[in-house]
Amino acid sequence: MPDYDFKKIEKKWAERWLKDKIYEPDLSKAKKPFYNLMMFPYPSAEGLHVGNMYAFVGADIYGRKKRMEGNDVFEPIGLDGFGIHSENYAIKISKHPKEQAKVSEKNFYRQLQMIGDGFAWDEKLETYDPEYYKWTQWIFVQMFKKGLAVRRKANVNWCPKCLTVLADEQVLAGECERCGTEVIKKELEQWFFKITDYAERLLNDLDKIDWSEQVKTAQKNWIGRSEGASIKFPILKSDFNIEVFTTRPDTLYGATYMILSPEHELVQKLENRTQNLEEVKKYIKEAKNKTLEERIAEGKDKTGVELKGIKAINLANKEEIPIWIADYVLAGYGTGAIMAVPAHDQRDFEFAKKCGLPIKMVVCPHYPEKTCPVLDSAYVGEGHLVDSGKFNGLSSEEAKKKITEFVGGETKVQYHLRDWLISRQRYWGPPIPMIYCEKCSWQPVSEEDLPVLLPDTKDFRPTGTDKSPLATVEEFAKTKCPRCGGEARRETDVSDTFLDSAWYFFRYIDHKNKKKPFDKLRARKWLPVDMYTGGAEHAVLHLLYTRFLTKVFHDWGLIDFAEPFKKFRAHGLLIKDGAKMSKSKGNVVNPDEWIERLGADVLRMHLMFIGPYEQGGDWRDESIAGIDRFLNRVWNLGQKIKKEDGGSVSETTLHQSIKKIGEDIERLHYNTAISQLMILLNSLEKGPGKESFKTFLKLLAPFAPFLAEELWRETGEKESVHKSKWPEYEESKTKESVKTVVVQINGKVRDRFEASSGASDEGIEKEALGLQKIKDGLAGKKPKKIIVVRGRLVNIVL
RNA sequence: GCCGAGGUGGCGGAACCGGCAGACGCACUAGCUUCAGGAGCUAGCGAUCGCAAGAUCAUGGGAGUUCGAAUCUCCCCCUCGGCACCA
């Protein structure tokens, strides 16, 4: 336990800061706005765990420095309280989600108060507040009106445990993002947001923003742009064509068969001509029953069935080639059909080997030598064309365009990104504000009728059908058509939680606005967000959706920028004993306990001292003692300085510290900033002086805001240390006047001496050669070369 | 398989625009202090050899560039994270 009364101090300042509103910028008049945003938490379990604290403290330190540098820092907080995570927890403890939300809210805000972040509490918001979700619904209505929200039938992801559909982004390696259950496919009619319309911009604009490389790459991969060609293969004796997308049109002469995915529409259309229809139907049935995981697990053991009696024509060489159905071709990508080039695609190669299909090499790596290797795997590299009619000898790169033109194909760009499935068959979310009328089809709820309130029902549990629990609330579902006034029914699904969180940072800046989601002038002042901090696990979820909505808002004229966050940094993962913290492993660290025992300042600094913020680290109970000792020494020094003031600290150490700590905070290297604070304290203890101690307190303030404030006021200051001016350093004073010069012979240290930093190269060299140990080392030999690095070393090469 | 981040003492980590490897802290050891301590202070603390001065080795492994490499280049291995039958 610290020597000082941290409980009293922390409580006192938390209340005082709130009263004095020191963290509340004037949102309409601020002169130097700086929006320091951190991902708001979702209240899913008993409370915040230490990983959340880690995230919030790191983000806050950055904001505190910006505030001391004279910025009007806005650091809002709220709760992402709607959604499956909160609802699942409520169900688990048998409580109504609405009731549980009240409990969680209180607990979460209590914890968030404790950690000493400079939150702007006046602007807090919760996504389940009707004042908030009114605008979430408003966004949905606009999306519909602009044609960006569409209802369509699709083969969608369904989580059998959460009993709802999921967006592609919420399926991780075939499993539900929330509960880890294997996801299955269902053919359902659902609402989608057309994020694919923005694929190109979402990809290109990544180059314009300062984000972690990790996250940018994840988004690039997810959007998955590939350039290629769209080529048609006519089906013999019919009007049908098989359209395929390929990135390798240069290998067209090597296409020896076609494959349709089991879900492909042509399969049905060709039924009456299929000679082995029974066999085909059986295969399709089996394929559809397989989960994604099973398909992947089968790996190289590819299966398929030929559509007997039907042939396609390869327009390049006019050859008739067979058509197969195989589940290694995915319905959801490209056209759901491929031209198979076994010689130059590994998957096609494996399939051809297994089914005895011809493998024809058309790109040769050794051209012009005719020594095409015998393949034991596909050759996927570049080369020159062979066996390709008039294109023989062309490089594969040149051939791509020419062959595409030759067969009447088109160059095409294909994306992996798919539309955002927005419907959820659950209770705890904003009802989708749409109404279905037999006569007028789908109509949006009139804007003046928003919000569509989530009804209080006892039957909030998921139904397990493809309908939300709201469908059972007749008085909710039954309504009038906003267009014709006739009998109509409401959409009873709610929207995805990720829609709630895709725009919350817009609402923070104007959260009391009754007329609009937010004011355009305020947005111009505060947005885009200057610094955003959060977990990297949202790389292709939240962070992609926010970018999408921002672009949409831009196109609607609500804002005049197209990227939400100028700078984004992902903090690392905090683990314990080398493993992710989890209740089942029993290695969860409870932050409340540590705050109780040692105080928030100690917890904050310990978390930040573990390792570089962006890298995360391994929590160890025992090493928190180091920070506890450190802050006690700070306290004791403060008491000492109250009585006696006279000593002075090394000016060089002081200026070096100001420089290093400032730069380290900027780089988010809080661990090394803290070690520099320790070095400065060591020095201060030897020569305590009030003025340098006050500088130290300013440098300490972002890390240990309570203690720094207490000691700052004890020096007689009337204003908060957090409103004081961040110290400046003089570059010249960071340099030592005398430096140790190392003298090496052949790169090995033999001696060292002190030299003034102004000494000339010649002088240093002379002094080095004059040293007795060096004379001994040289033993009369003549140096070949002497290297002098000023202020560092002399290397004598023999 | 592809992409990203890493690999340094007993531990967390520092140095990485090439220049004394191990800052700062934890743990540990010894001493002082204390009625006592999960307290404080002082000193030591990579390995090997040595009484010592000192010497040699050492930043995942191997090559290379250089007077000089944890840092730059190439190859390989391992760990973590993301994506993945994407045509």
Side-chain angles (χ1 to χ4, degrees):
Chain A
M1 260 241 271
D3 293 347
Y4 61 98
D5 191 347
F6 65 90
K7 277 189 187 160
K8 200 171 135 198
I9 290 171
E10 293 184 358
K11 185 164 181 280
K12 175 171 89 183
W13 290 113
E15 283 166 6
R16 182 75 182 277
W17 292 335
L18 218 53
K19 193 176 131 243
D20 293 352
K21 294 194 180 297
I22 72 166
Y23 305 126
E24 299 289 345
D26 186 328
L27 288 176
S28 46
K29 291 192 198 125
K31 290 215 169 60
K32 278 181 77 185
F34 187 96
Y35 198 158
N36 188 49
L37 182 69
M38 53 201 88
M39 289 182 185
F40 62 165
Y42 39 81
S44 52
E46 290 86 350
L48 290 172
H49 72 89
V50 73
N52 298 113
M53 297 293 189
Y54 185 73
F56 295 136
V57 169
D60 180 64
I61 289 168
Y62 191 84
R64 285 186 180 276
K65 175 174 177 255
K66 291 287 164 206
R67 185 178 295 110
M68 290 174 77
E69 285 174 338
N71 296 294
D72 296 297
V73 172
F74 181 42
E75 192 171 298
I77 192 69
L79 295 176
D80 188 13
F82 251 155
I84 298 186
H85 35 253
S86 302
E87 188 184 333
N88 281 353
Y89 179 65
I91 291 170
K92 197 176 139 200
I93 61 165
S94 297
K95 239 185 161 170
H96 195 282
K98 218 175 233 183
E99 290 303 307
Q100 180 52 34
K102 283 184 209 154
V103 177
S104 293
E105 186 176 315
K106 220 177 134 194
N107 190 34
F108 268 68
Y109 284 149
R110 175 191 64 78
Q111 286 185 301
L112 287 165
Q113 295 268 16
M114 301 274 287
I115 59 171
D117 272 16
F119 290 132
W121 285 103
D122 288 355
E123 279 76 26
K124 72 178 167 62
L125 60 79
E126 301 81 37
T127 51
Y128 48 73
D129 180 350
E131 283 302 307
Y132 182 84
Y133 72 72
K134 170 181 176 175
W135 298 107
T136 308
Q137 291 173 334
W138 179 87
I139 290 165
F140 192 103
V141 169
Q142 308 312 308
M143 294 294 270
F144 178 78
K145 287 182 177 170
K146 308 279 200 249
L148 287 168
V150 293
R151 196 171 163 87
R152 71 165 91 100
K153 198 168 190 176
N155 206 20
V156 298
N157 310 302
W158 172 269
C159 173
K161 186 160 178 227
C162 294
L163 302 170
T164 180
V165 297
L166 299 170
D168 280 334
E169 289 81 6
Q170 288 149 33
V171 180
L172 310 176
E175 291 174 358
C176 171
E177 176 250 343
R178 291 250 45 94
C179 68
T181 306
E182 198 170 291
V183 165
I184 58 171
K185 291 279 179 186
K186 266 199 181 188
E187 182 94 359
L188 291 173
E189 199 182 288
Q190 301 282 310
W191 288 104
F192 290 86
F193 279 180
K194 289 168 78 180
I195 192 170
T196 52
D197 285 7
Y198 286 75
E200 186 89 52
R201 284 164 68 189
L202 286 167
L203 186 70
N204 292 342
D205 288 356
L206 283 173
D207 294 334
K208 299 179 191 161
I209 46 182
D210 177 13
W211 284 29
S212 325
E213 210 45 50
Q214 181 195 10
V215 171
K216 279 199 197 184
T217 315
Q219 293 212 356
K220 263 178 210 159
N221 290 346
W222 188 258
I223 296 167
R225 181 181 199 271
S226 46
E227 267 175 49
S230 165
I231 295 174
K232 284 181 180 143
F233 288 70
I235 294 174
L236 201 62
K237 295 179 219 150
S238 85
D239 299 330
F240 297 129
N241 286 305
I242 299 174
E243 193 178 348
V244 303
F245 171 74
T246 177
T247 55
R248 294 295 301 272
D250 53 315
T251 64
L252 183 56
Y253 283 81
T256 52
Y257 59 101
M258 309 288 301
I259 299 183
L260 305 177
S261 63
E263 295 88 353
H264 201 280
E265 52 164 20
L266 275 179
V267 178
Q268 228 176 2
K269 289 181 180 163
L270 296 169
E271 257 183 16
N272 53 359
R273 289 179 49 195
T274 309
Q275 291 167 0
N276 55 339
L277 190 59
E278 283 314 303
E279 194 190 355
V280 168
K281 278 192 165 171
K282 185 166 168 264
Y283 178 80
I284 291 172
K285 201 180 159 200
E286 280 168 11
K288 281 190 177 172
N289 280 336
K290 279 187 217 164
T291 64
L292 187 69
E293 201 160 81
E294 280 169 334
R295 277 197 186 188
I296 293 167
E298 278 170 10
K300 292 179 175 176
D301 194 23
K302 296 181 172 53
T303 58
V305 61
E306 188 180 353
L307 285 181
K308 289 195 175 135
I310 307 169
K311 299 277 181 201
I313 302 165
N314 183 341
L315 286 178
N317 52 18
K318 308 290 185 289
E319 274 174 25
E320 289 178 20
I321 55 176
I323 303 167
W324 285 65
I325 295 173
D327 63 7
Y328 80 88
V329 173
L330 306 174
Y333 186 74
T335 60
I338 63 158
M339 64 178 210
V341 185
H344 305 292
D345 181 283
Q346 187 58 24
R347 294 151 300 178
D348 298 343
F349 181 85
E350 284 156 15
F351 189 75
K353 278 269 178 190
K354 191 178 172 199
C355 302
L357 290 154
I359 298 171
K360 185 181 160 199
M361 193 152 185
V362 289
V363 174
C364 181
H366 308 303
Y367 192 83
E369 288 168 54
K370 282 275 184 184
T371 55
C372 280
V374 179
L375 297 171
D376 48 17
S377 66
Y379 174 71
V380 296
E382 300 277 294
H384 288 79
L385 269 62
V386 293
D387 259 341
S388 295
K390 62 176 182 177
F391 300 102
N392 282 342
L394 282 183
S395 73
S396 36
E397 198 47 50
E398 282 175 286
K400 281 180 181 168
K401 205 175 154 207
K402 292 195 170 155
I403 292 186
T404 305
E405 277 169 17
F406 176 63
V407 296
E410 285 173 0
T411 57
K412 200 185 164 189
V413 174
Q414 184 70 44
Y415 294 95
H416 165 232
L417 183 71
R418 276 170 252 175
D419 280 334
W420 178 8
L421 170 51
I422 207 89
S423 313
R424 294 293 177 275
Q425 288 72 45
R426 297 287 296 235
Y427 169 73
W428 191 233
I432 290 175
M434 296 294 298
I435 292 169
Y436 184 74
C437 168
E438 292 285 348
K439 256 198 304 198
C440 315
S441 186
W442 285 102
Q443 297 297 324
V445 172
S446 309
E447 289 177 26
E448 60 271 19
D449 291 338
L450 295 177
V452 177
L453 287 171
L454 181 65
D456 284 313
T457 171
K458 285 199 172 77
D459 303 317
F460 59 85
R461 286 176 174 78
T463 62
T465 66
D466 53 12
K467 288 256 192 321
S468 135
L470 296 183
T472 64
V473 185
E474 191 53 29
E475 59 277 23
F476 171 80
K478 204 176 151 194
T479 188
K480 296 268 186 272
C481 172
R483 189 146 170 252
C484 71
E487 294 284 303
R489 288 190 74 80
R490 283 188 194 282
E491 169 64 69
T492 51
D493 285 353
V494 299
S495 58
D496 181 6
T497 331
F498 281 97
L499 178 59
D500 304 325
S501 58
W503 74 283
Y504 75 113
F505 52 96
F506 285 102
R507 188 62 183 172
Y508 272 145
I509 60 167
D510 199 11
H511 79 302
K512 292 203 173 106
N513 198 326
K514 298 255 181 206
K515 296 192 181 118
K516 285 179 284 187
F518 57 89
D519 177 68
K520 191 173 180 176
L521 287 175
R522 280 207 182 178
R524 195 169 286 161
K525 192 176 204 46
W526 288 96
L527 291 157
V529 167
D530 296 280
M531 174 65 160
Y532 194 32
T533 316
E537 69 273 19
H538 287 295
V540 292
L541 289 155
H542 171 65
L543 287 168
L544 188 66
Y545 298 142
T546 53
R547 294 185 62 222
F548 167 51
L549 270 217
T550 302
K551 288 184 192 312
V552 167
F553 285 3
H554 171 264
D555 293 356
W556 293 347
L558 298 179
I559 49 173
D560 36 28
F561 52 90
E563 281 292 336
F565 317 122
K566 276 187 244 176
K567 186 165 171 171
F568 170 77
R569 289 293 179 273
H571 61 254
L573 192 67
L574 192 66
I575 58 173
K576 173 92 194 285
D577 307 327
K580 229 177 182 164
M581 289 185 207
S582 74
K583 259 188 246 162
S584 55
K585 285 194 206 97
N587 62 348
V588 177
V589 176
N590 182 350
D592 289 15
E593 275 174 31
W594 289 101
I595 291 176
E596 173 69 23
R597 267 172 72 179
L598 300 173
D601 280 340
V602 172
L603 178 64
R604 285 172 68 100
M605 283 192 86
H606 176 57
L607 285 171
M608 294 303 114
F609 192 53
I610 289 172
Y613 187 57
E614 287 179 270
Q615 232 172 74
D618 201 340
W619 167 282
R620 268 163 218 279
D621 289 354
E622 62 272 19
S623 56
I624 199 168
I627 295 293
D628 185 24
R629 282 198 270 264
F630 168 74
L631 288 181
N632 273 327
R633 281 165 56 201
V634 173
W635 170 261
N636 292 335
L637 184 62
Q639 304 316 303
K640 194 172 161 194
I641 279 174
K642 270 199 285 189
K643 291 186 211 113
E644 52 176 273
D645 168 28
S648 69
V649 73
S650 143
E651 197 173 52
T652 311
T653 308
L654 187 66
H655 283 257
Q656 279 175 345
S657 299
I658 299 171
K659 181 179 184 187
K660 174 134 183 74
I661 293 165
E663 287 173 356
D664 281 350
I665 292 177
E666 218 49 58
R667 293 192 302 158
L668 271 37
H669 285 206
Y670 301 136
N671 56 331
T672 48
I674 291 171
S675 76
Q676 189 63 40
L677 282 168
M678 291 170 170
I679 291 167
L680 181 55
L681 178 69
N682 288 343
S683 179
L684 271 166
E685 282 176 333
K686 286 176 197 129
K690 193 172 171 186
E691 280 316 303
S692 33
F693 183 63
K694 285 175 77 173
T695 303
F696 170 80
L697 289 177
K698 287 186 184 186
L699 298 171
L700 178 70
F703 300 92
F706 295 108
L707 182 63
E709 182 77 308
E710 176 71 15
L711 293 172
W712 176 256
R713 304 282 187 142
E714 281 188 356
T715 67
E717 290 286 341
K718 294 278 171 280
E719 273 285 322
S720 170
V721 67
H722 303 297
K723 292 276 196 182
S724 71
K725 199 167 159 292
W726 186 256
E728 283 171 11
Y729 64 90
E730 283 176 47
E731 186 64 43
S732 61
K733 290 186 178 162
T734 62
K735 305 269 195 287
E736 315 270 359
S737 58
V738 175
K739 288 189 169 168
T740 304
V741 176
V742 167
V743 186
Q744 301 177 326
I745 296 177
N746 283 341
K748 301 217 151 110
V749 181
R750 292 297 166 212
D751 204 0
R752 61 200 68 202
F753 66 91
E754 303 278 302
S756 81
S757 51
S760 69
D761 287 3
E762 292 77 20
I764 290 171
E765 183 178 322
K766 206 176 153 198
E767 186 159 0
L769 288 171
L771 293 165
Q772 192 53 47
K773 281 184 188 166
I774 300 306
K775 281 184 187 161
D776 295 349
L778 291 177
K781 280 181 230 154
K782 209 175 160 144
K784 254 191 232 155
K785 197 169 167 187
I786 299 178
I787 290 135
V788 179
V789 183
R790 208 171 296 183
R792 283 191 189 276
L793 61 73
V794 178
N795 190 14
I796 302 161
V797 186
L798 291 181

